[in-house]
Amino acid sequence: MKKMKFKAWMVGVLCAGFCVETFAQDAVFSFGGKVVDKAGKGIAGVVVNDGMSFTQTDAKGAWSLRTDTTRSKFVSISTPAAYELPQQDGLAAGHYVSVRALAVAGGRHDFVLQKRRQVSERFCFIPVSDPQVRNEREMKRWRQETVPDMVEVIDSLKQSREVVGMTLGDLVFDNMSLYGEYKASLENTGATFFQCIGNHDFDKQYQDLHNMAAGTPVYGEMVYNRYFGPTDYSFNIGKAHVVTMKNLNYVGNKHYLEAMTGDQIAWLEKDLSYVPKGSLVLLNMHAAAWNRVGKDGNIRNAARLQEALKDYNVHVFCGHTHFFQNVEVASNLYQHNIGAACGAWWAGWVNQCGAPNGYLVVDVDGDRLKWHYKATRRDFSYQFRLYNKGEFQSQAPFVVANVWDWDDACRIVWYQDGKPMGEMEQFVGADEERASQLKDRSAAVQTPHLFRALPADGARQVKVEWTNRFGETYTQTIDL
């Protein structure tokens, strides 16, 4: 009888509109349970957190946390690499439980994991930036263009390795009613798909949780939470520790700052404290931190984030900007700000920088990464665009190459009528295809991944070769 009363009272505190003062006094509860395998045997050493506090399961798989439910809305585990990533219909699930569900269950929850038959250090990681569907027309393009393209790639990859997908925010475009269809679009792709929250994924009626009054029953990320769970979480696969985080301070009605809170950085530091130093960390977030062109999209506390990551081999995957920019921040820190799946908001077939609509495909082998951008509707050989003389309005005498996945380890050379002419000249400018879409060409975003060559009068043909950091060469030839 007492247990039933406790459960009813707990649910009432969590779900009803008690005054803030009463809620704040009575909102801290002891939650607990186990992490077990399919046979019910406890799994020791699993990291469990409630978004603020951390613990590890004991020898019998038991965990317990004292949780302030005004600040913490979920308890989640960091799935160990020896166990399969829990999922339902190909969507990540089972690695978290809401504090509301815990209340209904009397404060107890057991996480159940399936031990892998064979642990492999190789897997494929597919980060996808900004589907950003606003209406049914855009949802149709996402479902008929991007998703089938990914499924075809996943079908090929999964024959030899596990595939994990990660959408990097702006799943929808301020239209909460599309969440259900978006979620359904990624069911049973052959990959296990995780999500990250973007600035257009908040209910614009509210601020995010940390900006609202303690104990509020409504807040900006609550619809996202209902479909996809916590915004900050981690898991392990192969030798990689994968972390996903919200990096937006949402203040309501589409207004936000690109930033993490101090509590979030502290959460990341606690999460990483369970990971051996020097390990591979894949960090997923919506907004970039270290872009060198278009710096207005960078998070405000990038230096603090870099300090938290200094002891690890880190690759950051982000979106938000709708342009492609690689930045090697430090010897241990590489940021991939990848092109958006929707390009320039489903207006055509390119992003703001001229990179095609698409997504990244990353082969992870131990602690080594190799990646290729996959343009939607094109095969993997399409790795740069070549403009002929006169096609690029601001560079009329030049042949121009837009090499979206460029970084400092790449080499771009050109040949004139079969004769080697050396490296192309890099310049910062606006991509021609994107600029031509705009009423005001001067509003086009600048990008550093443009290269030009000036053919001689009478030259008949130019060939361009891009060799990426992995020693792979891609070639295009154009008749003048």
Side-chain angles (χ1 to χ4, degrees):
M1 186 70 175
K2 286 183 178 179
K3 185 176 181 181
M4 290 178 66
K5 287 182 178 178
F6 168 78
K7 184 188 296 184
W9 174 76
M10 206 168 167
V11 173
V13 170
L14 289 169
C15 304
F18 283 4
C19 71
V20 171
E21 291 80 3
T22 301
F23 199 106
Q25 292 172 4
D26 299 325
V28 179
F29 301 112
S30 294
F31 292 138
K34 283 188 172 184
V35 181
V36 299
D37 63 18
K38 292 287 187 178
K41 182 179 179 182
I43 304 170
V46 179
V47 178
V48 187
N49 82 92
D50 61 11
M52 300 296 293
S53 302
F54 282 72
T55 189
Q56 277 184 294
T57 55
D58 65 17
K60 295 183 179 179
W63 65 271
S64 64
L65 286 168
R66 288 280 291 170
T67 297
D68 179 353
T69 58
T70 68
R71 306 173 75 191
S72 299
K73 299 303 178 186
F74 294 91
V75 171
S76 64
I77 61 170
S78 190
T79 305
Y83 293 82
E84 294 179 3
L85 297 172
Q87 54 84 24
Q88 183 175 354
D89 298 324
L91 293 165
H95 59 289
Y96 63 86
V97 60
S98 70
V99 296
R100 180 173 294 185
L102 271 163
V104 171
R108 180 180 176 84
H109 180 78
D110 293 346
F111 296 95
V112 181
L113 298 176
Q114 174 68 55
K115 192 172 181 63
R116 293 181 181 277
R117 294 180 180 178
Q118 183 176 1
V119 178
S120 174
E121 292 186 355
R122 190 176 184 192
F123 66 97
C124 187
F125 183 63
I126 300 183
V128 186
S129 152
D130 298 76
Q132 203 159 336
V133 289
R134 186 198 304 263
N135 50 43
E136 285 301 327
R137 182 190 70 82
E138 294 176 358
M139 177 65 79
K140 184 177 180 180
R141 286 197 64 181
W142 161 253
R143 298 198 72 159
Q144 293 187 359
E145 296 170 19
T146 313
V147 174
D149 195 278
M150 287 194 298
V151 169
E152 185 176 337
V153 170
I154 292 166
D155 281 344
S156 176
L157 293 169
K158 72 181 183 181
Q159 305 305 315
S160 60
R161 72 205 85 160
E162 185 173 349
V163 184
V164 177
M166 178 71 68
T167 314
L168 298 169
D170 285 1
L171 320 180
V172 297
F173 199 163
D174 303 308
N175 187 345
M176 304 293 100
S177 69
L178 289 176
Y179 265 128
E181 189 174 354
Y182 167 78
K183 183 177 181 180
S185 74
L186 288 177
E187 289 180 349
N188 303 312
T189 62
T192 301
F193 254 94
F194 292 80
Q195 311 297 322
C196 174
I197 195 168
N199 52 287
H200 289 293
D201 297 321
F202 293 82
D203 188 329
K204 61 186 178 183
Q205 299 178 81
Y206 311 110
Q207 297 184 320
D208 66 19
L209 180 63
H210 87 276
N211 283 319
M212 299 284 283
T216 176
V218 292
Y219 46 91
E221 56 269 59
M222 64 183 179
V223 181
Y224 175 94
N225 289 162
R226 191 181 309 144
Y227 281 95
F228 302 115
T231 57
D232 297 350
Y233 60 91
S234 67
F235 60 89
N236 302 277
I237 179 170
K239 294 179 71 174
H241 182 67
V242 185
V243 184
T244 301
M245 297 186 72
K246 174 175 82 79
N247 66 353
L248 300 148
N249 181 351
Y250 196 76
V251 295
N253 197 29
K254 301 185 184 181
H255 298 296
Y256 60 90
L257 300 172
E258 291 97 343
M260 290 179 175
T261 66
D263 283 344
Q264 284 186 289
I265 298 291
W267 178 91
L268 177 62
E269 290 169 339
K270 291 174 188 174
D271 178 80
L272 292 176
S273 71
Y274 296 95
V275 180
K277 291 183 178 180
S279 297
L280 172 64
V281 172
L282 308 183
L283 174 60
N284 307 288
M285 54 194 196
H286 181 60
W290 298 282
N291 283 341
R292 292 170 181 160
V293 176
K295 296 179 182 179
D296 59 320
N298 289 342
I299 64 171
R300 293 189 170 199
N301 43 2
R304 175 88 188 276
L305 176 59
Q306 186 172 351
E307 176 65 19
L309 299 170
K310 64 181 172 60
D311 293 323
Y312 299 89
N313 173 24
V314 184
H315 283 260
V316 175
F317 300 92
C318 53
H320 187 48
T321 57
H322 297 250
F323 62 68
F324 205 121
Q325 188 175 168
N326 292 325
V327 182
E328 192 164 5
V329 184
S331 59
N332 74 309
L333 180 57
Y334 192 108
Q335 178 185 270
H336 309 255
N337 191 178
I338 66 175
C342 72
W345 302 273
W346 299 111
W349 297 100
V350 296
N351 281 264
Q352 295 205 80
C353 64
N357 300 8
Y359 50 93
L360 202 62
V361 178
V362 185
D363 182 56
V364 185
D365 189 358
D367 56 6
R368 298 182 300 276
L369 270 65
K370 187 177 182 180
W371 59 87
H372 302 87
Y373 190 63
K374 174 65 173 66
T376 308
R377 307 183 311 153
R378 306 292 292 263
D379 63 33
F380 278 104
S381 65
Y382 184 58
Q383 292 294 320
F384 65 92
R385 175 169 181 177
L386 199 57
Y387 290 95
N388 208 336
K389 286 174 59 176
E391 289 183 340
F392 205 105
Q393 189 176 112
S394 67
Q395 307 288 325
F398 294 88
V399 169
V400 176
N402 188 335
V403 189
W404 38 85
D405 199 12
W406 174 85
D407 65 18
D408 288 336
C410 300
R411 188 165 182 259
I412 303 162
V413 300
W414 68 293
Y415 300 80
Q416 179 176 274
D417 295 333
K419 179 183 177 182
M421 302 298 290
E423 295 194 10
M424 297 183 77
E425 178 189 6
Q426 185 177 13
F427 68 99
V428 176
D431 175 72
E432 178 62 28
E433 182 173 354
R434 176 55 181 159
S436 68
Q437 295 175 344
L438 303 175
K439 291 181 180 178
D440 179 7
R441 292 178 59 92
S442 66
V445 167
Q446 302 287 293
T447 178
H449 51 66
L450 295 173
F451 300 82
R452 63 189 178 191
L454 184 62
D457 291 341
R460 298 185 302 275
Q461 190 180 78
V462 166
K463 181 175 76 172
V464 173
E465 285 184 352
W466 171 53
T467 303
N468 66 16
R469 64 167 37 234
F470 311 113
E472 300 167 336
T473 299
Y474 298 86
T475 302
Q476 287 188 45
T477 301
I478 200 163
D479 293 325
L480 302 175

